Amino acid sequence: KFFKYMDVEPILVKPPYQTMNVGGKELAAHCNEWTIAVVGILGNHYGGQYDRIWEINECIEELNRDKGWQIGIHVDAASGGFIAPFQKDLPAWDFRCKNVMSISASGH
């Protein structure tokens, strides 16, 4: 809905079938001066895989610093948002990451 109502053209990044998740380099390669945000999924509905939000944050931070951009990250935590906070060995994926601006979670 956001793309339609706000007249924003999405750039969709297809994850590799071997991992079914994306990291920072994949997303950063598609960013430009018109990019307003990137979205990472924490628990996709196919197999529950997490996009590497911690790695996405590092790459977006580098882009923002080097190019003077202000790209934010939205985490679509889907069902993973109810599990990830209790996974002790999981790297930071939430507001501890500087560029994470919003998080949504839903039991669908």
Side-chain angles (χ1 to χ4, degrees):
K1 291 180 185 178
F2 173 80
F3 303 124
K4 179 180 178 181
Y5 294 134
M6 302 308 265
D7 194 27
V8 172
E9 181 183 341
I11 298 173
L12 304 177
V13 178
K14 188 175 180 179
Y17 73 89
Q18 298 92 338
T19 63
M20 288 304 292
N21 65 22
V22 296
K25 292 179 183 177
E26 294 94 341
L27 291 181
H30 290 84
C31 293
N32 60 42
E33 66 272 14
W34 299 105
T35 304
I36 57 174
V38 297
V39 177
I41 299 175
L42 202 67
N44 72 46
H45 63 273
Y46 297 111
Q49 293 90 345
Y50 293 174
D51 288 338
R52 298 178 303 277
I53 307 299
W54 50 92
E55 182 184 301
I56 294 168
N57 182 68
E58 291 173 7
C59 291
I60 294 301
E61 178 62 23
E62 184 177 330
L63 273 179
N64 286 342
R65 183 185 61 244
D66 294 349
K67 298 190 179 281
W69 296 345
Q70 295 180 333
I71 300 172
I73 300 170
H74 170 70
V75 179
D76 179 351
S79 298
F82 298 105
I83 299 168
F86 303 101
Q87 293 178 289
K88 294 184 186 336
D89 296 331
L90 189 64
W93 58 271
D94 50 17
F95 295 118
R96 292 172 289 173
C97 296
K98 179 179 178 180
N99 298 290
V100 170
M101 300 292 145
S102 60
I103 300 171
S104 62
S106 170
H108 291 83

mmCIF file of all heavy atoms in Angstrom, residues 41-73:
data_model
loop_
_atom_site.group_PDB
_atom_site.id
_atom_site.type_symbol
_atom_site.label_atom_id
_atom_site.label_comp_id
_atom_site.label_asym_id
_atom_site.label_seq_id
_atom_site.Cartn_x
_atom_site.Cartn_y
_atom_site.Cartn_z
ATOM 1 N N ILE A 41 13.571 -8.411 6.387
ATOM 2 C CA ILE A 41 12.523 -9.262 6.955
ATOM 3 C C ILE A 41 13.136 -10.167 8.020
ATOM 4 O O ILE A 41 14.144 -10.823 7.787
ATOM 5 C CB ILE A 41 11.843 -10.100 5.855
ATOM 6 C CG1 ILE A 41 11.197 -9.169 4.829
ATOM 7 C CG2 ILE A 41 10.811 -11.045 6.458
ATOM 8 C CD1 ILE A 41 10.591 -9.871 3.641
ATOM 9 N N LEU A 42 12.498 -10.194 9.149
ATOM 10 C CA LEU A 42 12.966 -11.029 10.253
ATOM 11 C C LEU A 42 11.973 -12.180 10.412
ATOM 12 O O LEU A 42 11.010 -12.087 11.164
ATOM 13 C CB LEU A 42 13.053 -10.196 11.532
ATOM 14 C CG LEU A 42 13.969 -10.713 12.618
ATOM 15 C CD1 LEU A 42 15.427 -10.645 12.172
ATOM 16 C CD2 LEU A 42 13.782 -9.936 13.896
ATOM 17 N N GLY A 43 12.203 -13.212 9.627
ATOM 18 C CA GLY A 43 11.327 -14.372 9.666
ATOM 19 C C GLY A 43 10.381 -14.388 8.479
ATOM 20 O O GLY A 43 9.206 -14.112 8.618
ATOM 21 N N ASN A 44 10.914 -14.696 7.296
ATOM 22 C CA ASN A 44 10.034 -14.713 6.119
ATOM 23 C C ASN A 44 9.032 -15.864 6.213
ATOM 24 O O ASN A 44 9.223 -16.825 6.953
ATOM 25 C CB ASN A 44 10.827 -14.744 4.803
ATOM 26 C CG ASN A 44 11.493 -16.062 4.533
ATOM 27 O OD1 ASN A 44 10.898 -17.120 4.677
ATOM 28 N ND2 ASN A 44 12.750 -16.017 4.128
ATOM 29 N N HIS A 45 7.959 -15.747 5.466
ATOM 30 C CA HIS A 45 6.885 -16.735 5.606
ATOM 31 C C HIS A 45 7.140 -18.037 4.859
ATOM 32 O O HIS A 45 6.350 -18.956 4.962
ATOM 33 C CB HIS A 45 5.537 -16.123 5.206
ATOM 34 C CG HIS A 45 5.442 -15.697 3.781
ATOM 35 N ND1 HIS A 45 5.837 -14.449 3.371
ATOM 36 C CD2 HIS A 45 4.992 -16.334 2.691
ATOM 37 C CE1 HIS A 45 5.638 -14.342 2.071
ATOM 38 N NE2 HIS A 45 5.122 -15.460 1.637
ATOM 39 N N TYR A 46 8.236 -18.138 4.127
ATOM 40 C CA TYR A 46 8.541 -19.392 3.443
ATOM 41 C C TYR A 46 9.229 -20.379 4.368
ATOM 42 O O TYR A 46 8.864 -21.533 4.432
ATOM 43 C CB TYR A 46 9.428 -19.135 2.221
ATOM 44 C CG TYR A 46 8.764 -18.278 1.184
ATOM 45 C CD1 TYR A 46 9.219 -16.995 0.940
ATOM 46 C CD2 TYR A 46 7.679 -18.754 0.463
ATOM 47 C CE1 TYR A 46 8.597 -16.189 -0.007
ATOM 48 C CE2 TYR A 46 7.049 -17.956 -0.487
ATOM 49 C CZ TYR A 46 7.510 -16.685 -0.717
ATOM 50 O OH TYR A 46 6.910 -15.896 -1.638
ATOM 51 N N GLY A 47 10.245 -19.914 5.074
ATOM 52 C CA GLY A 47 10.997 -20.831 5.923
ATOM 53 C C GLY A 47 11.448 -20.219 7.232
ATOM 54 O O GLY A 47 12.195 -20.835 7.977
ATOM 55 N N GLY A 48 11.034 -18.995 7.494
ATOM 56 C CA GLY A 48 11.400 -18.350 8.754
ATOM 57 C C GLY A 48 12.794 -17.744 8.775
ATOM 58 O O GLY A 48 13.272 -17.318 9.826
ATOM 59 N N GLN A 49 13.478 -17.667 7.629
ATOM 60 C CA GLN A 49 14.835 -17.124 7.592
ATOM 61 C C GLN A 49 14.823 -15.627 7.936
ATOM 62 O O GLN A 49 13.881 -14.913 7.636
ATOM 63 C CB GLN A 49 15.468 -17.305 6.205
ATOM 64 C CG GLN A 49 15.736 -18.736 5.850
ATOM 65 C CD GLN A 49 14.565 -19.406 5.139
ATOM 66 O OE1 GLN A 49 13.454 -18.930 5.132
ATOM 67 N NE2 GLN A 49 14.837 -20.555 4.535
ATOM 68 N N TYR A 50 15.913 -15.193 8.557
ATOM 69 C CA TYR A 50 16.094 -13.785 8.921
ATOM 70 C C TYR A 50 17.020 -13.117 7.915
ATOM 71 O O TYR A 50 18.101 -13.637 7.624
ATOM 72 C CB TYR A 50 16.759 -13.647 10.285
ATOM 73 C CG TYR A 50 15.962 -14.099 11.487
ATOM 74 C CD1 TYR A 50 16.558 -14.106 12.729
ATOM 75 C CD2 TYR A 50 14.632 -14.507 11.389
ATOM 76 C CE1 TYR A 50 15.859 -14.505 13.862
ATOM 77 C CE2 TYR A 50 13.932 -14.896 12.520
ATOM 78 C CZ TYR A 50 14.546 -14.894 13.744
ATOM 79 O OH TYR A 50 13.847 -15.281 14.862
ATOM 80 N N ASP A 51 16.627 -11.944 7.410
ATOM 81 C CA ASP A 51 17.598 -11.112 6.702
ATOM 82 C C ASP A 51 18.603 -10.627 7.741
ATOM 83 O O ASP A 51 18.256 -10.433 8.916
ATOM 84 C CB ASP A 51 16.912 -9.916 6.029
ATOM 85 C CG ASP A 51 16.087 -10.321 4.815
ATOM 86 O OD1 ASP A 51 16.345 -11.392 4.234
ATOM 87 O OD2 ASP A 51 15.180 -9.547 4.448
ATOM 88 N N ARG A 52 19.822 -10.419 7.342
ATOM 89 C CA ARG A 52 20.899 -10.061 8.281
ATOM 90 C C ARG A 52 20.855 -8.554 8.576
ATOM 91 O O ARG A 52 21.636 -7.775 8.039
ATOM 92 C CB ARG A 52 22.231 -10.515 7.708
ATOM 93 C CG ARG A 52 22.296 -12.026 7.517
ATOM 94 C CD ARG A 52 23.580 -12.539 6.914
ATOM 95 N NE ARG A 52 23.950 -11.984 5.623
ATOM 96 C CZ ARG A 52 23.474 -12.410 4.457
ATOM 97 N NH1 ARG A 52 22.600 -13.385 4.400
ATOM 98 N NH2 ARG A 52 23.880 -11.857 3.332
ATOM 99 N N ILE A 53 19.941 -8.176 9.451
ATOM 100 C CA ILE A 53 19.715 -6.762 9.759
ATOM 101 C C ILE A 53 20.993 -6.108 10.275
ATOM 102 O O ILE A 53 21.311 -4.969 9.914
ATOM 103 C CB ILE A 53 18.576 -6.600 10.793
ATOM 104 C CG1 ILE A 53 17.305 -7.328 10.337
ATOM 105 C CG2 ILE A 53 18.318 -5.127 11.100
ATOM 106 C CD1 ILE A 53 16.717 -6.856 9.035
ATOM 107 N N TRP A 54 21.763 -6.801 11.095
ATOM 108 C CA TRP A 54 23.010 -6.277 11.647
ATOM 109 C C TRP A 54 23.991 -5.942 10.528
ATOM 110 O O TRP A 54 24.680 -4.934 10.595
ATOM 111 C CB TRP A 54 23.602 -7.272 12.646
ATOM 112 C CG TRP A 54 23.680 -8.677 12.111
ATOM 113 C CD1 TRP A 54 24.741 -9.262 11.468
ATOM 114 C CD2 TRP A 54 22.643 -9.656 12.127
ATOM 115 N NE1 TRP A 54 24.419 -10.543 11.085
ATOM 116 C CE2 TRP A 54 23.137 -10.823 11.479
ATOM 117 C CE3 TRP A 54 21.331 -9.678 12.622
ATOM 118 C CZ2 TRP A 54 22.390 -11.980 11.330
ATOM 119 C CZ3 TRP A 54 20.593 -10.836 12.474
ATOM 120 C CH2 TRP A 54 21.109 -11.968 11.837
ATOM 121 N N GLU A 55 24.056 -6.758 9.506
ATOM 122 C CA GLU A 55 24.942 -6.513 8.367
ATOM 123 C C GLU A 55 24.379 -5.401 7.474
ATOM 124 O O GLU A 55 25.129 -4.559 6.974
ATOM 125 C CB GLU A 55 25.083 -7.806 7.562
ATOM 126 C CG GLU A 55 26.008 -7.706 6.369
ATOM 127 C CD GLU A 55 26.011 -8.992 5.566
ATOM 128 O OE1 GLU A 55 26.349 -10.049 6.143
ATOM 129 O OE2 GLU A 55 25.654 -8.930 4.372
ATOM 130 N N ILE A 56 23.072 -5.394 7.294
ATOM 131 C CA ILE A 56 22.425 -4.329 6.526
ATOM 132 C C ILE A 56 22.712 -2.993 7.184
ATOM 133 O O ILE A 56 23.047 -2.008 6.517
ATOM 134 C CB ILE A 56 20.914 -4.591 6.415
ATOM 135 C CG1 ILE A 56 20.659 -5.844 5.577
ATOM 136 C CG2 ILE A 56 20.191 -3.380 5.829
ATOM 137 C CD1 ILE A 56 19.225 -6.356 5.630
ATOM 138 N N ASN A 57 22.610 -2.933 8.509
ATOM 139 C CA ASN A 57 22.873 -1.694 9.242
ATOM 140 C C ASN A 57 24.292 -1.183 9.000
ATOM 141 O O ASN A 57 24.500 0.006 8.785
ATOM 142 C CB ASN A 57 22.628 -1.905 10.738
ATOM 143 C CG ASN A 57 22.844 -0.632 11.517
ATOM 144 O OD1 ASN A 57 22.096 0.317 11.385
ATOM 145 N ND2 ASN A 57 23.890 -0.623 12.332
ATOM 146 N N GLU A 58 25.272 -2.084 9.033
ATOM 147 C CA GLU A 58 26.667 -1.675 8.804
ATOM 148 C C GLU A 58 26.848 -1.087 7.407
ATOM 149 O O GLU A 58 27.521 -0.056 7.239
ATOM 150 C CB GLU A 58 27.608 -2.865 9.002
ATOM 151 C CG GLU A 58 27.720 -3.328 10.436
ATOM 152 C CD GLU A 58 28.531 -4.606 10.573
ATOM 153 O OE1 GLU A 58 29.115 -5.077 9.575
ATOM 154 O OE2 GLU A 58 28.581 -5.140 11.692
ATOM 155 N N CYS A 59 26.269 -1.730 6.398
ATOM 156 C CA CYS A 59 26.419 -1.243 5.023
ATOM 157 C C CYS A 59 25.676 0.065 4.801
ATOM 158 O O CYS A 59 26.184 0.960 4.116
ATOM 159 C CB CYS A 59 25.941 -2.308 4.040
ATOM 160 S SG CYS A 59 27.024 -3.752 3.992
ATOM 161 N N ILE A 60 24.501 0.199 5.384
ATOM 162 C CA ILE A 60 23.743 1.451 5.256
ATOM 163 C C ILE A 60 24.468 2.572 5.998
ATOM 164 O O ILE A 60 24.533 3.705 5.519
ATOM 165 C CB ILE A 60 22.303 1.277 5.750
ATOM 166 C CG1 ILE A 60 21.542 0.306 4.835
ATOM 167 C CG2 ILE A 60 21.577 2.605 5.866
ATOM 168 C CD1 ILE A 60 21.455 0.730 3.376
ATOM 169 N N GLU A 61 25.052 2.257 7.131
ATOM 170 C CA GLU A 61 25.821 3.260 7.875
ATOM 171 C C GLU A 61 26.995 3.764 7.038
ATOM 172 O O GLU A 61 27.268 4.960 6.992
ATOM 173 C CB GLU A 61 26.317 2.678 9.204
ATOM 174 C CG GLU A 61 27.158 3.624 10.022
ATOM 175 C CD GLU A 61 26.424 4.887 10.444
ATOM 176 O OE1 GLU A 61 25.186 4.886 10.495
ATOM 177 O OE2 GLU A 61 27.107 5.891 10.724
ATOM 178 N N GLU A 62 27.663 2.861 6.360
ATOM 179 C CA GLU A 62 28.787 3.234 5.502
ATOM 180 C C GLU A 62 28.313 4.122 4.343
ATOM 181 O O GLU A 62 28.947 5.134 4.040
ATOM 182 C CB GLU A 62 29.471 1.981 4.975
ATOM 183 C CG GLU A 62 30.709 2.254 4.158
ATOM 184 C CD GLU A 62 31.390 0.971 3.719
ATOM 185 O OE1 GLU A 62 31.307 -0.048 4.426
ATOM 186 O OE2 GLU A 62 32.017 1.000 2.637
ATOM 187 N N LEU A 63 27.218 3.743 3.707
ATOM 188 C CA LEU A 63 26.670 4.566 2.619
ATOM 189 C C LEU A 63 26.286 5.952 3.118
ATOM 190 O O LEU A 63 26.609 6.963 2.484
ATOM 191 C CB LEU A 63 25.415 3.909 2.028
ATOM 192 C CG LEU A 63 25.570 2.901 0.917
ATOM 193 C CD1 LEU A 63 24.206 2.364 0.513
ATOM 194 C CD2 LEU A 63 26.263 3.505 -0.282
ATOM 195 N N ASN A 64 25.576 6.006 4.233
ATOM 196 C CA ASN A 64 25.151 7.296 4.786
ATOM 197 C C ASN A 64 26.349 8.181 5.107
ATOM 198 O O ASN A 64 26.350 9.381 4.823
ATOM 199 C CB ASN A 64 24.289 7.085 6.033
ATOM 200 C CG ASN A 64 22.900 6.579 5.705
ATOM 201 O OD1 ASN A 64 22.431 6.679 4.571
ATOM 202 N ND2 ASN A 64 22.228 6.031 6.695
ATOM 203 N N ARG A 65 27.364 7.598 5.692
ATOM 204 C CA ARG A 65 28.559 8.353 6.068
ATOM 205 C C ARG A 65 29.330 8.825 4.833
ATOM 206 O O ARG A 65 29.672 10.000 4.714
ATOM 207 C CB ARG A 65 29.458 7.495 6.958
ATOM 208 C CG ARG A 65 30.711 8.225 7.454
ATOM 209 C CD ARG A 65 31.647 7.314 8.245
ATOM 210 N NE ARG A 65 32.124 6.213 7.421
ATOM 211 C CZ ARG A 65 31.857 4.929 7.654
ATOM 212 N NH1 ARG A 65 31.125 4.567 8.680
ATOM 213 N NH2 ARG A 65 32.331 3.991 6.851
ATOM 214 N N ASP A 66 29.559 7.928 3.903
ATOM 215 C CA ASP A 66 30.393 8.256 2.744
ATOM 216 C C ASP A 66 29.713 9.179 1.741
ATOM 217 O O ASP A 66 30.367 9.986 1.086
ATOM 218 C CB ASP A 66 30.831 6.979 2.025
ATOM 219 C CG ASP A 66 31.760 6.127 2.875
ATOM 220 O OD1 ASP A 66 32.238 6.606 3.927
ATOM 221 O OD2 ASP A 66 32.007 4.969 2.487
ATOM 222 N N LYS A 67 28.398 9.062 1.614
ATOM 223 C CA LYS A 67 27.696 9.822 0.582
ATOM 224 C C LYS A 67 26.821 10.939 1.138
ATOM 225 O O LYS A 67 26.207 11.685 0.385
ATOM 226 C CB LYS A 67 26.862 8.880 -0.276
ATOM 227 C CG LYS A 67 27.721 7.847 -1.011
ATOM 228 C CD LYS A 67 26.926 7.095 -2.033
ATOM 229 C CE LYS A 67 27.778 6.100 -2.781
ATOM 230 N NZ LYS A 67 28.591 6.681 -3.822
ATOM 231 N N GLY A 68 26.723 11.032 2.453
ATOM 232 C CA GLY A 68 25.902 12.071 3.061
ATOM 233 C C GLY A 68 24.404 11.793 2.940
ATOM 234 O O GLY A 68 23.594 12.702 3.028
ATOM 235 N N TRP A 69 24.043 10.526 2.734
ATOM 236 C CA TRP A 69 22.638 10.155 2.617
ATOM 237 C C TRP A 69 22.038 9.929 3.999
ATOM 238 O O TRP A 69 22.743 9.904 5.008
ATOM 239 C CB TRP A 69 22.478 8.897 1.775
ATOM 240 C CG TRP A 69 22.915 9.065 0.345
ATOM 241 C CD1 TRP A 69 23.152 10.237 -0.312
ATOM 242 C CD2 TRP A 69 23.181 8.028 -0.598
ATOM 243 N NE1 TRP A 69 23.530 9.995 -1.607
ATOM 244 C CE2 TRP A 69 23.557 8.646 -1.819
ATOM 245 C CE3 TRP A 69 23.127 6.649 -0.546
ATOM 246 C CZ2 TRP A 69 23.869 7.928 -2.956
ATOM 247 C CZ3 TRP A 69 23.440 5.921 -1.674
ATOM 248 C CH2 TRP A 69 23.806 6.557 -2.874
ATOM 249 N N GLN A 70 20.730 9.750 4.036
ATOM 250 C CA GLN A 70 20.021 9.463 5.281
ATOM 251 C C GLN A 70 19.040 8.317 5.059
ATOM 252 O O GLN A 70 17.840 8.467 5.235
ATOM 253 C CB GLN A 70 19.276 10.708 5.779
ATOM 254 C CG GLN A 70 20.186 11.834 6.162
ATOM 255 C CD GLN A 70 19.418 13.048 6.638
ATOM 256 O OE1 GLN A 70 18.277 13.267 6.262
ATOM 257 N NE2 GLN A 70 20.041 13.830 7.486
ATOM 258 N N ILE A 71 19.571 7.176 4.681
ATOM 259 C CA ILE A 71 18.736 6.007 4.436
ATOM 260 C C ILE A 71 18.460 5.317 5.768
ATOM 261 O O ILE A 71 19.363 5.083 6.558
ATOM 262 C CB ILE A 71 19.437 5.023 3.473
ATOM 263 C CG1 ILE A 71 19.704 5.705 2.133
ATOM 264 C CG2 ILE A 71 18.609 3.751 3.296
ATOM 265 C CD1 ILE A 71 20.563 4.883 1.181
ATOM 266 N N GLY A 72 17.206 5.002 6.006
ATOM 267 C CA GLY A 72 16.824 4.289 7.213
ATOM 268 C C GLY A 72 16.508 2.835 6.900
ATOM 269 O O GLY A 72 16.446 2.432 5.740
ATOM 270 N N ILE A 73 16.300 2.063 7.958
ATOM 271 C CA ILE A 73 15.957 0.646 7.823
ATOM 272 C C ILE A 73 14.622 0.403 8.521
ATOM 273 O O ILE A 73 14.418 0.823 9.657
ATOM 274 C CB ILE A 73 17.029 -0.258 8.461
ATOM 275 C CG1 ILE A 73 18.387 -0.046 7.792
ATOM 276 C CG2 ILE A 73 16.616 -1.732 8.405
ATOM 277 C CD1 ILE A 73 19.544 -0.713 8.527
#
